[in-house]
């Protein structure tokens, strides 16, 4: 398959899933699709089940790893901030997308408020956020720092 065929596969997934959310994604490694996903937010009652995240989960399961270096994602729409973060955490090497975030906003999938919210100081964000029990919380981080059994990621 070539790049256009991989993008068409992502688009086909989006078209098949219009009722559940018109988004599709495939993850490719060495010219083969190893993960695919559609938006499953409403069907699974999981707000994190965006097409890209579902595809990442499937690809990680297929490869038995959390590291998708050497893989590329083709997605029917420019990734939202959550999906973009997941793509970076998974270490995908490249993103190809069809629709823009502006196209998504036109059909009421508007992520602009998230892009505006992220750089705000914590105390200015819409959702009240408060730090607590730091002295207790830091113990797990300190244990990680000295652990010889940790798996770095």
């Amino acid at each position: 398959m070539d790049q256009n065929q991989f993008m068409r596969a992502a688009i086909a997934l989006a078209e098949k899933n219009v009722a559940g959310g018109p988004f599709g994604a495939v993850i490719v490694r060495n010219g083969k699709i190893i993960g695919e996903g559609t938006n499953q937010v409403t069907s699974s009652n999981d707000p994190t089940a965006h097409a890209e995240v579902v595809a990442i989960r499937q690809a990680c399961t297929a490869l038995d790893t959390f590291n998708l270096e050497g893989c590329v994602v083709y997605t029917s729409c420019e990734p939202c901030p959550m999906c973009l973060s997941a793509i970076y955490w998974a270490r995908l090497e490249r993103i190809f997308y069809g629709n823009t975030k502006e196209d998504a906003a036109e059909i009421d999938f508007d992520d602009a408020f998230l892009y505006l919210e992220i750089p705000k100081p914590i105390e200015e964000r819409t959702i009240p956020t408060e730090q607590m029990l730091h002295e207790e919380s830091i113990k797990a981080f300190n244990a990680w720092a000295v652990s010889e059994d940790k798996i770095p990621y």
Side-chain angles (χ1 to χ4, degrees), residues 6 16 22 27-28 34 38 44 50 54 56 58 62 67 70 75 94 103 107 113 120-121 131 135 137 139 144-145:
F6 293 130
K16 289 179 188 174
I27 302 209
V28 175
I34 59 164
T38 58
S44 67
H50 291 199
V54 172
I56 287 169
Q58 192 177 98
N67 184 332
T75 179
R94 193 162 185 178
D103 295 328
I107 61 166
F113 78 97
K120 288 181 182 177
Q131 183 180 22
E135 289 179 19
S137 299
K139 291 176 184 177
W144 164 266

Side-chain angles (χ1 to χ4, degrees), residues 105-120:
E106 287 289 322
I107 61 166
D108 296 325
F109 289 95
D110 192 355
D111 300 326
F113 78 97
L114 291 172
Y115 287 102
L116 296 172
E117 193 76 4
I118 291 169
K120 288 181 182 177

Side-chain angles (χ1 to χ4, degrees), residues 59-110:
C60 287
T61 297
L63 296 178
D64 194 28
T65 184
F66 58 84
N67 184 332
L68 296 178
E69 288 177 357
C71 298
V72 175
V73 62
Y74 294 81
T75 179
S76 64
C77 187
E78 183 178 356
C80 74
M82 177 185 69
C83 293
L84 185 60
S85 297
I87 288 166
Y88 273 93
W89 279 116
R91 295 176 181 84
L92 290 161
E93 293 190 355
R94 193 162 185 178
I95 302 166
F96 294 97
Y97 67 93
N99 296 312
T100 66
K101 60 186 176 187
E102 292 80 15
D103 295 328
E106 287 289 322
I107 61 166
D108 296 325
F109 289 95
D110 192 355

Side-chain angles (χ1 to χ4, degrees), residues 12-63:
L13 288 168
E15 289 174 345
K16 289 179 188 174
N17 197 59
V18 167
F23 302 93
V26 298
I27 302 209
V28 175
R29 183 175 189 190
N30 297 328
K32 181 182 174 193
I33 294 174
I34 59 164
E36 61 181 38
T38 58
N39 186 302
Q40 298 176 14
V41 171
T42 58
S43 64
S44 67
N45 293 320
D46 179 354
T48 69
H50 291 199
E52 296 91 338
V53 172
V54 172
I56 287 169
R57 290 173 182 165
Q58 192 177 98
C60 287
T61 297
L63 296 178

